[in-house]
Amino acid sequence: MQDDLITRARAWQAEDPDPETAQELAALVDAGDLDELADRFSGTLQFGTAGLRGELGAGPMRMNRSVVIRAAAGLAAYLKAEGHTGGLVVVGYDARYKSADFARDTAAVMTGAGLRAAVLPRPLPTPVLAYAIRHLGAVAGVEVTASHNPPRDNGYKVYLGDGSQIVSPADAEIAAEIARIGALADVPRPDGGWQELGDEVLEAYLARTDAVLTPGSPRGVRTVYTAMHGVGKDVVLAAFARHGFPAPTLVEAQAEPDPAFPTVAFPNPEEPGAMDLAFATAAQARPDIVIANDPDADRCAVAVPDDAADSGWRMLRGDEVGALLAAHLVHKGARGVFAESIVSSSLLGRIAEAAGLGHEETLTGFKWISRVEGLRYGYEEALGYCVDPEGVRDKDGITAALLVAELASELKEQGRTLTDLLDDLAVEHGLHATDQLSVRVQDLSVIASAMAQLRAQPPTSLAGLRVASAEDLSRGTESLPPTDGLRYYLEGDYRARVIVRPSGTEPKLKCYLEVVVPVADAPGLVPARARGQEILDAIKKDLAAAAGI
């Protein structure tokens, strides 16, 4: 077994086109680090509906040029089998380590396979790539990004010609083509022949943002903005300037792309401490709101002043921003279907119903939300919002930021705030209090064990509320395809819902909690919030015990 492992490592090293990872692998072989080699050669990174995502490094279980070339060759073979020989594949990338290399490799493979390739001119937000696919009439698109993952990671996200991320069965069919790829030397990779795009696509994207805002609407909100060391700054500044908003005050230490993400433990606005510098900047600038993008700018976070918080600011939950944007779109006369993932707040359904609009729930991920027929607006609680599905059929942190700014400006003219509107929604529809129990693990078997324990011994009550129904989503439902998840509906003095699922992009077990507390009037909001949080805390405790985590 040891000899076989060394042989496979040397064979991989021999065809590795990247001197850096080839040298890394040679060092592991020379050091006889069999444990590390066994980990890197324990299989291959699996291509699924999230494409590829993993830690950078040498070997088939890491993200590297060899893995990317095989993925690109498999995608090219799939596209040709679907009748798209000669079709255009547009490639975008973020500012992470190796992203530009992976983008060039993808363009070379597509060109060598008889497809046409076009590469965005520099690291740009993922929504620009999603927009470019339909704008340019491409048959597919690739975005090299690991979104908000740690610095050591990178990823490979695939879209088809409709501008949406791949779903089953395309993912399995592409994976099968990847598995058929033999030696890398047999994959044609010319030194040129693809198109290097200029700024015309970005200009077209910015022009499309006109559709998001109401002509003549208020534009007076003052913001602090952080790009979280990612690629959002220049596009956000251009969009705000185009539409006449005051220039945001930048969090300078996080304004420029930096793949090391030096000021944050995790470059995700949801993570503890990630917004500290933004709040410190806000303490000096005294804006109306704080806006953050994640590193590839497809997510948007919003914070509001809060005297009760140590920082003076409170991050709004994704469900709160989702409800605010929905209410704003209703106010603007939006028609169509409002959609959300099953782990997002049921408040969206209440808002849609009251406005006479359609409402759909999908599996987690915009690959599902974007495919809802008649979609006008979609969101999921992980800070993702699709506010212009005709322009970008994916979450878009730039247009979401514009719409938040318009709403905050409108409220400001009325002497009101985002918090005031949230209070109005709670009084009208009930306080929909949400929270999350998220457990990051080193050993993925911990997640599998927790899911198995819950399936074997499902809880009968949580926080004193009876489990009225328990669904194993791996069996699918009338409206949802199968997915690895569990859903509980609770009844008693209050209604509540719990969903447990493994994260699709990170080594986490994620539990999504919601309780609905009736509110008679504005004075009842404070005790309702306290009661809601009390119930959520109790659900967390009982659920952790039931799952053995």
Side-chain angles (χ1 to χ4, degrees):
M1 180 177 177
Q2 175 179 330
D3 291 343
D4 177 60
L5 186 59
I6 297 294
T7 299
R8 284 190 290 143
R10 285 180 170 152
W12 184 276
Q13 176 195 344
E15 68 169 10
D16 192 337
D18 187 336
E20 185 177 330
T21 47
Q23 184 178 359
E24 177 186 316
L25 199 54
L28 291 173
V29 170
D30 291 345
D33 192 341
L34 298 180
D35 288 343
E36 182 65 19
L37 288 171
D39 181 52
R40 293 173 183 235
F41 286 84
S42 60
T44 59
L45 278 185
Q46 292 302 299
F47 187 93
T49 53
L52 294 168
R53 193 174 291 189
E55 184 178 349
L56 289 162
M61 285 296 289
R62 298 288 188 270
M63 282 295 296
N64 51 64
R65 290 183 62 196
S66 297
V67 166
V68 165
I69 290 167
R70 292 178 185 279
L75 173 59
Y78 167 82
L79 292 172
K80 292 170 69 174
E82 291 292 304
H84 295 308
T85 298
L88 175 67
V89 178
V90 61
V91 184
Y93 58 103
D94 67 11
R96 284 177 176 267
Y97 296 119
K98 301 289 184 180
S99 286
D101 295 336
F102 296 166
R104 281 194 298 272
D105 282 333
T106 299
V109 170
M110 295 302 162
T111 303
L115 293 143
R116 293 178 295 122
V119 183
L120 293 181
R122 58 184 175 280
L124 286 168
T126 292
V128 176
L129 180 278
Y131 168 81
I133 294 166
R134 298 176 70 207
H135 176 68
L136 297 174
V139 299
V142 172
E143 176 70 12
V144 180
T145 181
S147 188
H148 56 277
N149 276 40
R152 65 180 181 274
D153 290 0
N154 212 328
Y156 198 81
K157 185 182 293 187
V158 177
Y159 300 74
L160 294 183
D162 63 355
S164 296
Q165 297 175 49
I166 55 169
V167 294
S168 182
D171 58 341
E173 292 168 358
I174 295 169
E177 294 288 359
I178 294 171
R180 294 189 184 101
I181 304 302
L184 285 191
D186 296 335
V187 178
R189 285 186 291 128
D191 292 330
W194 56 88
Q195 181 183 5
E196 298 280 355
L197 295 167
D199 281 344
E200 63 279 355
V201 170
L202 176 58
E203 291 302 322
Y205 168 83
L206 288 169
R208 175 66 205 183
T209 64
D210 294 355
V212 174
L213 303 178
T214 300
S217 63
R219 309 285 164 92
V221 73
R222 293 177 301 109
T223 62
V224 159
Y225 170 76
T226 176
M228 204 68 69
H229 298 296
V231 297
K233 182 200 72 173
D234 290 345
V235 183
V236 165
L237 291 182
F240 272 55
R242 177 184 183 90
H243 296 294
F245 290 101
T249 299
L250 298 178
V251 180
E252 294 291 350
Q254 298 175 335
E256 299 302 327
D258 187 336
F261 304 108
T263 68
V264 291
F266 289 95
N268 178 355
E270 293 179 295
E271 292 285 346
M275 295 291 288
D276 286 355
L277 285 179
F279 295 158
T281 303
Q284 299 298 316
R286 302 183 67 81
D288 300 303
I289 58 173
V290 174
I291 291 177
N293 286 138
D294 67 339
D296 69 328
D298 63 351
R299 299 170 195 248
C300 177
V302 181
V304 295
D306 185 349
D307 292 338
D310 291 340
S311 66
W313 290 84
R314 179 175 76 87
M315 270 277 290
L316 296 181
R317 294 187 178 277
D319 285 320
E320 291 176 306
V321 178
L324 287 169
L325 292 177
H328 187 44
L329 287 168
V330 167
H331 174 67
K332 286 159 64 81
R335 308 306 301 169
V337 177
F338 283 12
E340 62 183 322
S341 62
I342 57 172
V343 300
S344 303
S345 173
S346 60
L347 177 56
L348 184 69
R350 300 283 187 90
I351 293 171
E353 182 182 12
L357 301 177
H359 172 250
E360 296 285 344
E361 285 187 325
T362 74
L363 294 184
T364 305
F366 272 82
K367 57 184 174 283
W368 301 109
I369 293 171
S370 67
R371 286 181 161 77
V372 169
E373 188 173 347
L375 180 67
R376 175 57 186 87
Y377 167 63
Y379 98 92
E380 62 180 7
E381 54 73 44
L383 309 182
Y385 315 96
C386 175
V387 302
D388 178 28
E390 289 303 307
V392 176
R393 292 189 180 178
D394 198 3
K395 55 185 178 290
D396 182 346
I398 310 297
T399 50
L402 286 173
L403 199 60
V404 167
E406 181 185 58
L407 171 58
S409 297
E410 186 176 290
L411 291 167
K412 183 178 179 180
E413 275 205 354
Q414 301 166 8
R416 306 179 74 235
T417 66
L418 296 177
T419 305
D420 292 330
L421 181 53
L422 284 171
D423 289 349
D424 292 347
L425 293 172
V427 171
E428 182 178 358
H429 302 292
L431 176 69
H432 289 62
T434 61
D435 205 345
Q436 192 177 126
L437 173 63
S438 182
V439 182
R440 185 180 292 272
V441 302
Q442 295 294 324
D443 181 359
L444 290 177
S445 69
V446 173
I447 295 175
S449 175
M451 294 297 290
Q453 182 164 323
L454 287 171
R455 285 186 167 106
Q457 295 178 295
T460 58
S461 70
L462 296 168
L465 301 175
R466 181 177 64 88
V467 176
S469 70
E471 295 174 283
D472 187 342
L473 298 177
S474 66
R475 299 168 183 161
T477 70
E478 287 186 9
S479 59
L480 299 171
T483 187
D484 187 8
L486 301 165
R487 179 165 59 181
Y488 308 106
Y489 286 103
L490 315 179
E491 291 181 355
D493 293 338
Y494 304 94
R495 291 184 296 107
R497 186 200 65 196
V498 174
I499 295 175
V500 184
R501 59 180 282 272
S503 170
T505 57
E506 299 178 88
K508 285 182 176 180
L509 181 68
K510 304 184 86 170
C511 310
Y512 305 84
L513 323 174
E514 179 181 57
V515 59
V516 181
V517 181
V519 183
D521 50 31
L525 283 168
V526 171
R529 286 200 173 93
R531 182 59 179 142
Q533 191 59 55
E534 182 183 334
I535 297 168
L536 291 171
D537 289 344
I539 291 176
K540 277 189 193 180
K541 181 179 178 182
D542 291 351
L543 185 62
I549 54 174

